[in-house]
Amino acid sequence: MAKQSIQVEERFHTTRLDKLLTNLNPEESRSQIQSWIKEGFVQVNGKKAKTNYRCQQGDFIEWEIPEEEAFELRPESMDLDIRYEDEHLLVVNKPKGMVVHPAAGHSNGTLVNGLIAYTNLSDINGEFRPGIVHRLDKDTSGLMVVAKTNDTHEKLATMLKERTVKRQYQAIVHGEIEHELGTIEAPISRDPNDRKRMAVVDHGKEAITHFRVHERFPNYTHVVCDLETGRTHQIRVHFKYIGFPIVGDPKYGPRKTLNSEGQALHARRLEFTHPITMENIIVTAEAPAIFQETLKEINRWT
């Protein structure tokens, strides 16, 4: 275990212990920090403390970060929905509920596990993210382009950076959006109050989402979104920011919402110039059944 310690400065006087440690360990969630404290990995002045302990100036705090369980990336045979493929790359329609690549708590059953059983992939992103040029959240379904070779990977990454890959999504949001078209331009970075969330913050990274209304319902709107940038959780954060959170979003939406098995968000269209052949590639994928069922449920109320 990695052991760390600090002596509480005046500026942290009366700060809750769990909040202070969350600020010092930005990659960990507050709930994870709280579990460390409850399990005895944190001591204040040589003694166990409670998560809500108010730190005092001069307190000596020691904590140990439990080591993550090592795991091996193993190929798993899966029925992948490949929408385009050649010797350089492929476009896969990721199902809702599937994690893209292995990480702590998700060592198997990920899209990468299935991809490495299916074909060879680039190794630019390391052992656990082979071929992954961009990603989708676990409960966001839809299209992803995956690189088979390092040359293709590098060129696709450059294209994404230069914003020449067109990515279109559809979503169902709470509320009735009055405008037919709109652009949300608001910078995104880590939420300073919760490092596991993203938020619109001053001096964040540029983030631009274009949208149009596809259909309105009482209390809901079906929208189509075009990404100009691709920040983490961008569409989810942007629609929360303008007051129309995505239906079913457990992180950014209301608690009382429709059962759409996570956020009602689907990556439905990819368009790009093939980095090797220079062909114009357009790939589409229909929204999953749960998305369609959510729309039908809303329709029944009208």
Side-chain angles (χ1 to χ4, degrees):
M1 296 185 182
K3 199 164 193 176
Q4 301 182 54
S5 63
I6 65 160
Q7 190 158 26
V8 177
E9 300 174 8
E10 182 180 3
R11 61 195 176 108
F12 293 125
H13 183 67
T14 72
T15 300
R16 278 178 57 123
L17 178 61
D18 55 352
K19 184 176 181 180
L20 173 58
L21 290 180
T22 301
N23 289 335
L24 295 172
N25 298 272
E27 297 306 314
E28 302 293 341
S29 67
R30 191 162 179 174
S31 61
Q32 180 64 67
I33 296 289
Q34 290 171 341
S35 71
W36 290 355
I37 297 171
K38 291 174 182 177
E39 291 168 17
F41 292 112
V42 179
Q43 290 192 334
V44 179
N45 301 323
K47 299 179 181 179
K48 286 183 63 176
K50 294 183 178 181
T51 58
N52 62 354
Y53 171 75
R54 296 285 177 175
C55 297
Q56 304 298 307
Q57 184 179 355
D59 279 348
F60 185 70
I61 302 174
E62 294 180 288
W63 69 97
E64 294 177 313
I65 300 177
E67 294 179 357
E68 293 182 358
E69 182 180 351
F71 60 86
E72 179 184 352
L73 178 60
R74 297 179 179 177
E76 299 177 33
S77 180
M78 296 181 184
D79 185 17
L80 299 173
D81 184 6
I82 306 295
R83 295 301 176 102
Y84 174 88
E85 183 179 15
D86 61 26
E87 62 187 297
H88 309 287
L89 58 84
L90 62 83
V91 177
V92 61
N93 183 26
K94 185 190 82 68
K96 191 179 187 71
M98 177 178 278
V99 174
V100 170
H101 56 75
H106 297 284
S107 61
N108 53 56
T110 72
L111 179 63
V112 163
N113 291 107
L115 287 170
I116 63 172
Y118 176 75
T119 188
N120 293 323
L121 300 172
S122 74
D123 60 10
I124 286 179
N125 266 353
E127 180 183 0
F128 298 112
R129 301 185 185 186
I132 302 303
V133 184
H134 65 114
R135 59 180 292 276
L136 297 175
D137 298 326
K138 174 187 173 184
D139 291 326
T140 298
S141 58
L143 298 171
M144 290 177 52
V145 60
V146 177
K148 291 185 176 183
T149 69
N150 286 357
D151 182 37
T152 301
H153 193 134
E154 289 175 346
K155 290 177 179 177
L156 284 170
T158 298
M159 291 164 60
L160 284 163
K161 185 176 181 180
E162 295 177 347
R163 306 179 186 179
T164 58
V165 178
K166 297 178 181 179
R167 290 173 285 174
Q168 188 175 86
Y169 292 69
Q170 59 180 320
I172 307 169
V173 303
H174 287 276
E176 298 175 50
I177 299 176
E178 296 180 358
H179 304 290
E180 295 297 326
L181 301 170
T183 294
I184 309 168
E185 186 170 356
I188 291 176
S189 187
R190 292 283 174 189
D191 187 331
N193 299 313
D194 184 347
R195 302 297 292 180
K196 285 293 185 180
R197 291 162 55 101
M198 307 300 288
V200 171
V201 297
D202 292 338
H203 311 299
K205 293 182 178 180
E206 180 186 32
I208 303 172
T209 304
H210 306 285
F211 71 87
R212 62 178 171 84
V213 170
H214 182 73
E215 191 173 7
R216 291 186 184 87
F217 307 92
N219 303 315
Y220 300 94
T221 307
H222 182 190
V223 296
V224 175
C225 308
D226 291 287
L227 288 183
E228 186 169 326
T229 57
R231 307 304 175 199
T232 301
H233 300 173
Q234 178 173 312
I235 294 174
R236 300 165 66 186
V237 171
H238 269 173
F239 276 92
K240 172 183 170 60
Y241 177 67
I242 65 171
F244 299 95
I246 293 177
V247 163
D249 192 330
K251 192 178 290 286
Y252 303 105
R255 292 189 177 182
K256 292 185 177 180
T257 184
L258 300 176
N259 179 23
S260 56
E261 298 177 6
Q263 60 269 10
L265 181 62
H266 173 69
R268 73 178 202 168
R269 188 177 189 273
L270 271 177
E271 180 178 357
F272 58 94
T273 300
H274 195 293
I276 307 300
T277 68
M278 305 308 294
E279 297 176 79
N280 189 50
I281 306 296
I282 299 176
V283 187
T284 60
E286 65 283 356
I290 186 64
F291 192 103
Q292 305 296 342
E293 290 166 8
T294 302
L295 283 175
K296 289 178 181 177
E297 182 178 352
I298 295 171
N299 257 318
R300 285 197 291 268
W301 302 339
T302 62

